[in-house]
Each structure stands twice: as structure tokens, then as C-alpha cells.
Amino acid sequence: MDLCYRLTGVSFRYTQAWVLKDFALEVVEGEIIGLIGPNGSGKTTLVKLMAGLLRPQEGAVLLHGENLAARPRREIARQVAVVPQDSPILFPFTVGELVLMGRFAHQVGWGWESAEDLRIARLAMQAMDVWHLADRTVQDLSGGERQRAMIARALAQQSRILLLDEPTAFLDINHQMEIYAILKELHRDRGVTVVLVSHDLNLASQYCDRLVLLHEGRAYRTGPPGEVLTAEHIRMVYGCEVLIDRHPVAGTPRITLPCVGNGESLTVKR
């Protein structure tokens, strides 16, 4: 198995407290891996470190065996595309212009976009159902439409690694399913490696090959969904009781909150 990422002894902090401490992870080429865990466990910071947007104070992030800190931004962008959780657009770019920005890493010099760039951007917009919004400004979009446009930009980048921070945030159930279906298709047909942050444990369970459950800045458990998503692990990390059975079709763990009513209270353990 070829590794695209190897993180060894990675520690990072914004101020005094460590967000990640002595974190280790290996990502195999062509897998879909989900980063899960409660708020503040370090998931978004981990994605930024893997994208080269942040540098660890300790340890190293290796991309195909080379330290990410020593590689130029454009070179990283040819291999890694990022969909952040929140990316404010300060200027009135249209959706078409936004998606074409994903082609920047492949352009030479200061040249304008080519016919091939336009074709790839159009296909990305069609895949994310935003082609009809190509002439609309990003500020005029709903949260879900903007999220799909951001993912279209990442697809236009044609990188072999996709890092997504909550890719289905703001989306209705239909578009959630479409996005995960597209990620599965990229994984199956192009061998794209997908690393995604998700707060939806059921979606992560159903679509990810492997899960990393973060707790207090470390990888508490890593493995297939059936090994990571247990009542004991969720109780320890999230501090709550859940019911777990199997998805009737996929056979993956399915998590349900206990029914609260008739004077019953939900037990939370810390």
C-alpha cells in the first residue's frame, strides 16, 4: 500500500493550549477517510496542517514522503485540493469565476484560462449542479449553493487528494447524498484520496473506508467504522449514550439517540 500522507509526532497550538499533541496518522492512497470527534478536538486544524496552510510546532507532515513545509504552495495545490468549512468571498466573483480559480495551479505564467480550463470548470459545475448559477455572484447564493460551488472549485483543480471540512454543511439530504456519491465516484473511477471532516457519524460510517476518532488532540481510535463507532467509544469521547445497530443495506454501524420523553432524561456521562 502506497502512502500519500504520514504524520509523525505532530503538535500544534494557536496560543497556550495544544490543539493537537503528538498526533500520528497514515493515509493510504485511494482511500476515503473520515475525521470525526466533538467540537474542539482538532479536526479542522488537522485538515489545515495536511493542506500546508498551517505548520506544526513539533513533528512533520509528509506528503508522498516529502515534508510539506518545504514544498511550494502551487506544487501542493497540484496534488491537494481543499474545501474549507467557511471561506468568506470578499469580492463579487461569479460562480464561474470562482470555479475557474481551481485551475490556477495548472496555469503557466500569467496566461488566461484556456479552452481546456473552461471545459473542466464547466464539467465540475455540472457535477455539483451549479452550472445554471455560473453567472450569479457568490454573495447571492444560499449557503448550500455556495458550498456546492466551493466543491466544484476543488473538483476543477483535478488534484489526486481532496481535503474537505464538513462538505455537506448547509445542504439538504438530496445534495448530501449527491456529494457523497460524487466522492465515491472520484474514489472508484480516478483513485482520488478523500479526507473529510464530518459531524454526521452515520454518513461517515456509511461512506468512509476508515475513521479517525479524535479526542483531546489525539487519535483516540482509528480503523473501519465497525471498530471505531462503538457505544463505549462514543460514551468516552462524546460523553453521551447512544443506540447502535446495523444499516439494513450497507451493514455499517448506525447510531440513534435514545428516545427522550415521558419524563425520561438523556444521560450524559463525563
Side-chain angles (χ1 to χ4, degrees):
M1 295 186 296
D2 295 328
L3 296 179
C4 55
Y5 275 107
R6 184 193 297 271
L7 284 71
T8 56
V10 170
S11 298
F12 181 86
R13 60 185 173 190
Y14 295 99
T15 53
Q16 293 292 327
W18 292 102
V19 179
L20 294 171
K21 184 62 178 173
D22 197 25
F23 189 91
L25 177 67
E26 293 182 348
V27 179
V28 178
E29 286 191 0
E31 73 173 334
I32 300 179
I33 187 167
L35 307 178
I36 60 174
N39 293 332
S41 58
K43 303 183 298 298
T44 295
T45 298
L46 178 57
V47 167
K48 291 179 178 179
L49 287 165
M50 294 174 73
L53 302 175
L54 297 175
R55 295 186 179 182
Q57 282 93 4
E58 298 176 1
V61 179
L62 305 181
L63 176 63
H64 295 126
E66 297 183 29
N67 196 322
L68 207 60
R71 305 181 74 168
R73 284 294 314 149
R74 181 172 287 204
E75 181 183 320
I76 296 172
R78 293 193 186 106
Q79 300 182 59
V80 182
V82 184
V83 179
Q85 187 179 65
D86 183 26
S87 182
I89 307 297
L90 302 180
F91 298 97
F93 294 115
T94 66
V95 171
E97 290 169 337
L98 176 71
V99 176
L100 274 170
M101 292 176 190
R103 300 301 303 158
F104 174 75
H106 300 279
Q107 292 173 355
V108 178
W110 296 97
W112 298 100
E113 60 270 5
S114 66
E116 180 68 1
D117 292 329
L118 293 170
R119 184 187 71 84
I120 292 170
R122 184 184 72 251
L123 291 175
M125 285 185 279
Q126 289 173 338
M128 295 312 305
D129 192 24
V130 293
W131 172 239
H132 64 291
L133 302 173
D135 295 326
R136 292 264 301 274
T137 61
V138 178
Q139 284 93 336
D140 292 334
L141 304 181
S142 69
E145 289 169 338
R146 180 181 296 202
Q147 185 77 344
R148 297 194 333 260
M150 295 296 295
I151 296 175
R153 183 179 69 173
L155 294 182
Q157 202 167 321
Q158 289 191 313
S159 303
R160 295 298 301 271
I161 301 171
L162 275 177
L163 306 179
L164 305 102
D165 191 355
E166 282 291 319
T168 57
F170 313 113
L171 299 183
D172 59 49
I173 188 170
N174 180 53
H175 283 110
Q176 286 181 8
M177 293 173 62
E178 286 183 355
I179 285 175
Y180 274 95
I182 288 170
L183 296 178
K184 275 289 190 182
E185 181 180 335
L186 291 170
H187 166 259
R188 182 186 66 244
D189 298 343
R190 304 185 196 176
V192 172
T193 303
V194 178
V195 180
L196 61 91
V197 172
S198 180
H199 279 294
D200 191 321
L201 301 184
N202 286 321
L203 280 175
S205 172
Q206 190 171 344
Y207 287 97
C208 294
D209 303 317
R210 200 156 55 99
L211 298 177
V212 179
L213 177 58
L214 279 78
H215 180 52
E216 297 180 348
R218 289 183 168 87
Y220 181 78
R221 286 291 184 278
T222 301
E227 295 180 6
V228 174
L229 294 177
T230 69
E232 178 184 353
H233 295 162
I234 291 174
R235 183 187 308 115
M236 179 63 192
V237 173
Y238 289 91
C240 63
E241 301 289 343
V242 296
L243 305 176
I244 298 181
D245 61 2
R246 294 289 167 179
H247 189 283
V249 177
T252 52
R254 182 175 60 178
I255 298 168
T256 307
L257 294 176
C259 180
V260 179
N262 299 323
E264 298 177 7
S265 61
L266 181 63
T267 301
V268 178
K269 297 183 178 180
R270 295 293 182 188

